[in-house]
Amino acid sequence: MESKASASREIESPCDVLRPSTSNAERTLCVLGLGGGGTSMVAGCLRLAGVSMGERLNEANNEDQEFHDLIQCRPLLDGAGNLLPERLEQFRAFIEYRNERHPVWGWKHPETLRILPQVLDRLRNPHLLYIFRDVHAVAQRNHKRLGLDHPLSLRASLGHLTAMVNAIEQLSAPTLLISYERCLRHPEKFLRLLSSFCGLELTQKDCQDLASFVRPDRVSGEIDAQARARDRAYYKPESD
């Protein structure tokens, strides 16, 4: 019989597969979460593992700058919360271009949930990665960086979490749920689970090497000097 201690260790896994990944090698990886909630860490791990996370990448937060520019362009939505027709076409063109160039690619941006249901049908084999972090830690970050007071930041974070839960319930694509805090406690296990769900080919040595990127207080998503040496080995941007 399994002991209570071993059962507890199993419960503390950094990831849960809510809907299993597919056998199709081609896929699109969407990293979803709050700003300051760990998305840069997940995107950085994917980047280091060789996934194209953007051709014009912001190394401070591992965001695709082209996607960022599209989603920050205003007006974005109509009064009913739907993408304006011209914006919808821009996102579809963005997706089609990436599909043509990369069999596996992805992106992360805190505002992705605003448009994801409307473009999901254009994504090739979408796999959704939701990362959750202590809400107060996110509020502290936004208080210091953006000047928001704590109650306002907490309320905004809770609203975003509600949107994430709604998406988890409504979108039927393969889904991985990730705990930021447990990733920090078990980085190698997180990388093994991430590799399996995303169809990557990370060896045990790869997971050991990349584990240094999964650490607290990285300040930003920038890849540090130790990981950057591996970045040259793992991440190979495609030439024109």
Side-chain angles (χ1 to χ4, degrees):
M1 181 180 294
E2 186 179 29
S3 68
K4 291 183 178 179
S6 61
S8 176
R9 286 195 297 273
E10 188 65 28
I11 290 172
E12 292 179 357
S13 172
C15 305
D16 287 306
V17 177
L18 186 65
R19 299 182 185 93
S21 57
T22 69
S23 58
N24 186 349
E26 295 184 335
R27 60 190 67 190
T28 312
L29 307 176
C30 304
V31 180
L32 306 163
L34 284 70
T39 56
S40 295
M41 181 270 288
V42 176
C45 289
L46 292 173
R47 172 187 170 184
L48 286 168
V51 177
S52 174
M53 296 301 289
E55 297 179 4
R56 210 160 39 93
L57 200 68
N58 183 339
E59 293 188 0
N61 55 21
N62 292 313
E63 282 182 5
D64 185 321
Q65 192 61 46
E66 184 176 348
F67 182 88
H68 173 83
D69 292 345
L70 283 176
I71 207 164
Q72 292 297 321
C73 187
R74 298 295 190 265
L76 180 68
L77 308 174
D78 62 20
N82 298 313
L83 277 167
L84 294 170
E86 61 269 30
R87 300 286 175 250
L88 180 58
E89 288 307 310
Q90 288 173 336
F91 279 106
R92 287 178 171 175
F94 166 85
I95 291 167
E96 290 170 6
Y97 175 78
R98 292 293 193 275
N99 283 343
E100 290 173 358
R101 290 179 61 85
H102 308 285
V104 179
W105 65 280
W107 82 88
K108 62 79 88 171
H109 195 284
E111 292 193 54
T112 296
L113 282 178
R114 301 181 71 190
I115 60 99
L116 184 60
Q118 299 176 66
V119 300
L120 192 68
D121 63 334
R122 294 300 181 98
L123 296 178
R124 184 179 55 206
N125 192 20
H127 282 51
L128 310 181
L129 293 78
Y130 297 85
I131 183 160
F132 295 86
R133 185 183 183 185
D134 167 19
V135 175
H136 180 243
V138 175
Q140 285 179 311
R141 178 258 193 191
N142 291 334
H143 171 68
K144 292 178 179 179
R145 294 190 181 185
L146 305 178
L148 301 178
D149 63 39
H150 278 90
L152 180 60
S153 184
L154 283 168
R155 190 174 298 279
S157 296
L158 289 172
H160 196 136
L161 284 173
T162 298
M164 288 173 64
V165 174
N166 290 340
I168 289 168
E169 292 177 335
Q170 295 167 8
L171 303 180
S172 59
T175 301
L176 185 70
L177 307 182
I178 306 169
S179 164
Y180 177 77
E181 285 77 16
R182 287 178 177 168
C183 287
L184 298 182
R185 292 177 59 189
H186 308 289
E188 290 182 36
K189 184 172 184 179
F190 158 63
L191 288 161
R192 290 195 300 271
L193 294 169
L194 182 72
S195 175
S196 175
F197 180 79
C198 296
L200 308 178
E201 296 182 358
L202 296 183
T203 66
Q204 182 177 356
K205 178 66 163 54
D206 293 334
C207 292
Q208 292 171 347
D209 289 344
L210 296 181
S212 67
F213 187 68
V214 185
R215 66 181 195 279
D217 303 321
R218 283 182 301 106
V219 181
S220 74
E222 186 172 359
I223 295 175
D224 60 273
Q226 183 180 3
R228 187 171 296 283
R230 293 189 301 277
D231 192 17
R232 289 192 292 271
Y234 287 104
Y235 182 63
K236 301 178 178 60
E238 294 186 11
S239 59
D240 293 332

